[in-house]
Amino acid sequence: MEKCKKILIDFLLPYRMVWKNVGSMVRFEIGYRLLSMLVFFPSLVGLERMLLFVNAKTNVAAYNAKSLAYNPLTWLVLALMVVMVGVYAMIEQLAVSDAVHASYHGVRLTARQMFENGVTLTVKYLRPKNFQILIYVLLILPFVNALDVSSVTKFFHLPGFLMESVRQYWYYALIFAFGIGLAFYMLIRWFFCIHVMTAEDAPDFKTARRRSFFLTKGWYMLKLVVLDLIWLGLLFAIAALLILLFMVLLYLVLLWANSGGTSFRSIVFSDTGRTVILTFSEFFLSWFIVPVLMTTYQGEYYRRLVRTGG
C-alpha cells in the first residue's frame, strides 16, 4: 500500500508543481487556439492554394504528381509551409515548457509572458544551423496533438494515391513501415530536446539533441515508449468521457427546447449532433492536452536529471 501511495505521489508531483501557472497555461492555450484559427490556418490554406496555382492544377493526384515535383516553385511553397508549421508548433511547445520550468522555480507567468517567451525562444533556435529542429517539431506534432481539432496535424495527410501504393505493393509498405519506425526512434531519442532548450538554455539544437541522446540511452528508451503509450491511452479515454458528457448535455438542451418527444438516439446520432459533439469535445480537450503532456514529460526530465547526476 505504501509503495502504491509513493508511486501516486511521484506521478502527481509535476502537476502540483505547475499549479502556480495553470491558469496562465489555460488562457495561453485558448488564446493560441483562437489565433491559429483566425490567422495561422487561413495563411496555411492560402499557401496550399498558391501551391496549386503556381502549377495550374486544381488538385494533387497520381497523374499530375510528376509535373508538380519538377516545378521548383512547388518546393519553395512546400518549404514555406514546413517553416510556418514549425514556427507555429515551436512557439507553443517552447512557451509551455518554459512555463513549466518557471513553475519548477516558483515563478509566476502571465499568458502574455508565456507567448512572448515562446516567440523569443523560437527566434533564438530557428536559425539555418538548427534546421533539424523542424524535423523534431514535425515528429512530435502528431503525438502531442493527436486529439487536438485545432492542431496542424488535422490539416495534412498523405495523398490518396500514395497510400494506395502502400496498400498494393509490399515493398512500398515495407519502406513506409521502416520510415514510421525510424521516425518513432528519433522521436524517443530526441525526447528531451525542448526541455533541455528551456531548462538548460542550450546554445543550439545540436547541443540539445546530444544532451537528449545521453538522457535517453539504454533501457530507459523502453520506459519512454511505455510512458507514451500510457498517456495516449489516457488521452483517448479522456476524449471518450468528454464526448459522452457533451452527448448528455446536447440531449438535455434539445429535449428542454423541444419540450419532449425527441429520442436520445435521434438527437445525438444525427449528422448535426455528431458534428457539434465532436467539435466541442476536441476544442475543450485542446485547452489542456499540450500543457498536460509537457508537464508530464518535463517532470520525467527532472527525475532523469536526478538519476543521472545532472
Side-chain angles (χ1 to χ4, degrees), residues 269-298:
F269 293 100
S270 65
D271 291 339
T272 303
R274 284 198 303 268
T275 301
V276 171
I277 290 167
L278 290 175
T279 300
F280 274 89
S281 298
E282 291 182 329
F283 186 71
F284 277 99
L285 187 65
S286 73
W287 292 1
F288 62 84
I289 185 171
V290 174
V292 166
L293 287 177
M294 277 292 176
T295 300
T296 302
Y297 298 149
Q298 195 130 338

Side-chain angles (χ1 to χ4, degrees), residues 40 78-90 126 134 138:
F40 176 72
L78 285 174
L80 287 173
M81 294 177 77
V82 168
V83 171
M84 184 179 290
V85 170
V87 169
Y88 165 79
M90 282 176 65
L126 196 63
L134 292 176
L138 295 177

Side-chain angles (χ1 to χ4, degrees), residues 24-93:
S24 296
M25 287 184 180
V26 172
R27 288 190 291 273
F28 169 79
E29 288 295 329
I30 294 173
Y32 202 66
R33 291 296 177 269
L34 293 174
L35 181 66
S36 66
M37 288 187 219
L38 295 174
V39 178
F40 176 72
F41 284 117
S43 301
L44 208 55
V45 169
L47 282 176
E48 182 193 34
R49 290 176 179 172
M50 184 185 298
L51 177 65
L52 297 173
F53 176 77
V54 297
N55 287 282
K57 308 292 182 185
T58 57
N59 66 330
V60 179
Y63 70 88
N64 63 16
K66 186 179 290 187
S67 62
L68 264 70
Y70 286 154
N71 188 346
L73 291 176
T74 296
W75 298 103
L76 177 61
V77 176
L78 285 174
L80 287 173
M81 294 177 77
V82 168
V83 171
M84 184 179 290
V85 170
V87 169
Y88 165 79
M90 282 176 65
I91 290 174
E92 180 182 26
Q93 292 175 26

